[in-house]
Amino acid sequence: MISASLYIIACTTRNRIRTRLQRLREPRYLIAAIVGVAYFYFAFFARLRSQSSVVSRRRRGNATRDVNEQFALLTTIGPVVGGLALMAGAAVAWLLPFGSVLLSFSDAEIEFLFSAPVSRRVLLLHRFFRSQSGILFSATIVALAGVSLGGYQRVRVAFAAWLVMCAIQLYFTGVCLARARARSGAPRVRRSAWLPLAVLVVACGLVGWSLVQTFAAAPISGGTDALDRLVAVGTRGIGGIALAPFVALTRPFFAPWPYPYLAALAGSVTVVVGCLLWVLVSDRAFDEAADALIERKAARPEAAAGSSYRARSTGWHLAPVGRVEIALAWKAATQTVRSIDKRIAFRLVAIVTAVTIVAFSARGSGVTVMVGGLAVLWTIVAVIFGPQILRLDLRQDLEHLDLLKTWPVRSSVLVRGELIWPTTLLTVMAWIFAAIGLALSSRLFGNVRADTRLATGLAAMALVPALVLAQLIIQNAAALLFPGWVSLGNQRSRGIDAMGQRFITLGGTWLVLLVALLPGAAAGAVTWFVLRFLIGPLAIVPGAIVCAALLLVESIVATEALGAAYDRIDLLAIERPMN
């Protein structure tokens, strides 16, 4: 079966490359491919030249000793920090029900390979082999993105990254299968399913206890003392034993060539082989769990695309009369509630709440700075990238354009109704993170006056709805005017040309948003200038409200114009996703 799997992978890769080269005859794919190639060149290869010149100057100068000292420090502390991060990720994998790529079989694999005389374990090996191309590409990107690395060093980093990614993929597969076995009716099977989690909990407890014992023994005298204690926890004692598999995965990144690196690489390979054996060498419930997962995938192919919903009551009743926009928003909200597992939402809320409480209770430590910085970062991500990620609008519903055209609804009303729910959802998320960041801003921006911090935070929160709505309108306008440039529904194109298309749409969105912000920004600046002599720093809040109001007016006018574009769109212009 291994030879057959390699043959299938080779033919699939050849056909995929041929298809992508053939579609470059269309201008939209050709232009997008040029943009994608340009991004790779300027982001990686052009930077390699400048980095190589920097490295050569260092070698000719007197900075070699400093570089060697820094590398020696990284060799000591790097594996421990990386191991702690991997252990935290391993624990989170059990808290949040992530999926596994190895269990996501395509329709062709379900149709032709499941009926073949091979075991489920062999099919998982086939999926593991197929995933290597993506892992190798990602490892290469990690190596190219490294700062001040030579050619051979990048190869070593690529090998180390490849092993870490293989271990992570196998670990997530093992977690998914363990969850499936935990639902078995046999008590022995359930006990064996929970055994890996019990081992991980014990390991995390030992490492946590060692950290508490080491750092509470005496006051920390400085950064060097803290690093020395952290290294001691990760390399010696019972904490070092519990953390050893995770440290072994990250050690090749920091080990010098040749013998220390090869020895560290052997340890990393051992951990990967252990994860593979955990996935493959199991009791008879392994095949039953794999069959259950695969049968659900085959029976509900829509679930793999993220478009399956549980027909359960949401408790939200739509009034028999009212505005059409509210009905469309209710439809999108109900769709969201039915597609999200309540367990995931509860765990996410619990994690965010617990971290926030810890940050509030530790106001005098770096935890407050870390949580506050992350809250501000996630606020920016929700506002800037959220409209591109969340697609509960026309970008999803245009797949059903033939049905939408039959609705007796005015076009501009339909466009506005499609935008209400994603705007509300992203706004609430951004406001939550902004409120956390504002509450912790005393440590994060301690040199800024309290009234200035409060005014800036409130002004940012006032701008959030208008910024989110404006970006969603731009994205939906692109879907209506240039449907070939936007991925509709749940389809996610891959490749250099698809990456170029995303860069073009993202850059176009930000450019149009900047132009749309100019009138509101000018009016807000005038408002701030007039009121700053009366209310001081708080004048930025009414200025932001004026800016947001003008941007909202522009957005409403834009929806009227998009109604005409919706009426003109042709059913044949919509590309249906390929299964």
Side-chain angles (χ1 to χ4, degrees):
M1 179 61 190
I2 295 180
S3 59
S5 178
L6 296 177
Y7 174 77
I8 293 173
I9 294 171
C11 292
T12 303
T13 304
R14 181 190 61 192
N15 294 334
R16 182 181 292 114
I17 294 174
R18 180 185 301 173
T19 302
R20 296 192 183 280
L21 291 177
Q22 288 177 350
R23 72 182 187 180
L24 291 180
R25 291 177 293 185
E26 300 184 32
R28 56 171 174 163
Y29 290 115
L30 179 59
I31 296 174
I34 293 174
V35 172
V37 171
Y39 166 76
F40 270 103
Y41 175 78
F42 289 107
F44 298 106
F45 298 104
R47 195 175 62 176
L48 292 180
R49 295 184 179 180
S50 60
Q51 289 179 359
S52 61
S53 62
V54 171
V55 172
S56 61
R57 285 197 302 269
R58 285 179 177 176
R59 291 175 179 175
R60 291 193 302 265
N62 297 324
T64 305
R65 179 179 299 177
D66 296 336
V67 172
N68 291 335
E69 291 177 357
Q70 294 175 4
F71 184 76
L73 180 62
L74 283 176
T75 302
T76 305
I77 190 63
V80 177
V81 174
L84 289 172
L86 288 179
M87 174 176 276
V92 171
W94 288 92
L95 294 175
L96 301 178
F98 295 108
S100 173
V101 177
L102 299 187
L103 299 177
S104 299
F105 290 89
S106 65
D107 294 339
E109 290 170 336
I110 295 174
E111 183 71 21
F112 295 103
L113 296 184
F114 284 6
S115 58
V118 294
S119 65
R120 296 292 184 253
R121 298 181 183 181
V122 175
L123 290 180
L124 289 176
L125 281 176
H126 166 73
R127 287 294 305 168
F128 180 69
F129 292 149
R130 281 205 61 181
S131 66
Q132 293 307 301
S133 59
I135 294 178
L136 288 173
F137 179 78
S138 301
T140 303
I141 295 299
V142 171
L144 292 176
V147 179
S148 300
L149 294 178
Y152 294 108
Q153 289 177 321
R154 295 184 188 279
V155 174
R156 298 202 300 266
V157 169
F159 270 109
W162 171 65
L163 289 173
V164 170
M165 292 177 186
C166 287
I168 292 174
Q169 185 185 74
L170 291 170
Y171 178 82
F172 274 86
T173 304
V175 171
C176 292
L177 293 173
R179 289 196 186 113
R181 294 199 303 272
R183 294 189 292 267
S184 175
R188 182 182 63 84
V189 176
R190 291 198 302 270
R191 288 194 297 268
S192 64
W194 292 114
L195 180 61
L197 177 59
V199 173
L200 179 63
V201 170
V202 172
C204 292
L206 293 176
V207 173
W209 176 254
S210 300
L211 287 172
V212 171
Q213 290 276 33
T214 302
F215 282 90
I220 300 175
S221 59
T224 303
D225 183 29
L227 292 178
D228 291 339
R229 297 188 188 190
L230 191 63
V231 171
V233 171
T235 55
R236 295 192 293 269
I238 194 169
I241 296 175
L243 199 62
F246 304 97
V247 172
L249 281 174
T250 58
R251 195 178 299 279
F253 286 99
F254 309 97
W257 178 264
Y259 299 110
Y261 174 79
L262 294 177
L265 205 65
S268 184
V269 170
T270 302
V271 175
V272 173
V273 172
C275 292
L276 183 61
L277 291 177
W278 176 37
V279 172
L280 296 181
V281 181
S282 182
D283 53 14
R284 294 183 58 184
F286 175 88
D287 287 330
E288 297 176 2
D291 286 339
L293 290 171
I294 294 170
E295 287 172 2
R296 285 200 300 271
K297 167 73 178 184
R300 297 186 304 170
E302 299 86 0
S307 59
S308 67
Y309 312 102
R310 296 182 181 180
R312 62 175 184 268
S313 176
T314 60
W316 302 350
H317 301 288
L318 184 64
V321 294
R323 295 190 62 86
V324 178
E325 293 94 335
I326 302 301
L328 292 171
W330 177 86
K331 183 266 298 182
T334 305
Q335 180 182 8
T336 303
V337 172
R338 288 179 175 175
S339 60
I340 295 179
D341 194 338
K342 291 183 178 179
R343 296 174 301 171
I344 301 177
F346 176 77
R347 292 169 185 173
L348 285 174
V349 171
I351 291 174
V352 173
T353 304
V355 171
T356 305
I357 292 175
V358 171
F360 272 106
S361 61
R363 280 187 170 273
S365 67
V367 178
T368 304
V369 177
M370 181 187 68
V371 176
L374 288 176
V376 174
L377 175 63
W378 279 108
T379 303
I380 297 173
V381 170
V383 175
I384 301 300
F385 296 101
Q388 282 77 38
I389 299 173
L390 190 66
R391 306 169 62 86
L392 296 173
D393 46 34
L394 284 174
R395 288 171 291 174
Q396 184 179 72
D397 288 345
L398 278 182
E399 279 188 317
H400 312 288
L401 183 61
D402 49 353
L403 176 62
L404 294 177
K405 287 283 189 179
T406 63
W407 289 2
V409 178
R410 196 159 61 92
S411 302
S412 58
V413 173
L414 186 142
V415 172
R416 283 193 294 270
E418 290 277 355
L419 299 175
I420 291 177
W421 173 247
T423 302
T424 304
L425 185 59
L426 289 174
T427 299
V428 171
M429 292 174 57
W431 278 351
I432 292 174
F433 288 119
I436 295 174
L438 183 60
L440 301 177
S441 61
S442 58
R443 286 284 298 173
L444 191 61
F445 305 103
N447 55 345
V448 182
R449 293 172 48 184
D451 55 350
T452 303
R453 295 197 308 267
L454 178 62
T456 304
L458 293 177
M461 295 175 71
L463 284 171
V464 165
L467 291 175
V468 170
L469 178 60
Q471 291 182 85
L472 287 172
I473 288 177
I474 297 170
Q475 291 285 322
N476 284 264
L480 291 174
L481 299 175
F482 311 101
W485 286 86
V486 180
S487 297
L488 302 178
N490 294 298
Q491 58 179 329
R492 289 292 184 271
S493 301
R494 299 178 180 178
I496 300 296
D497 51 355
M499 180 182 297
Q501 285 184 347
R502 295 189 185 100
F503 278 118
I504 292 173
T505 55
L506 184 61
T509 299
W510 289 350
L511 179 61
V512 176
L513 178 64
L514 181 61
V515 174
L517 270 173
L518 292 179
V526 172
T527 304
W528 166 80
F529 182 79
V530 172
L531 296 179
R532 69 189 181 98
F533 300 103
L534 299 176
I535 58 177
L538 292 176
I540 193 175
V541 177
I545 293 175
V546 170
C547 179
L550 288 179
L551 190 57
L552 287 174
V553 171
E554 294 179 19
S555 300
I556 294 174
V557 174
T559 57
E560 294 292 336
L562 288 181
Y566 175 81
D567 290 331
R568 292 193 303 267
I569 193 170
D570 188 0
L571 293 175
L572 298 179
I574 303 300
E575 291 187 1
R576 300 299 192 272
M578 298 178 62
N579 295 327

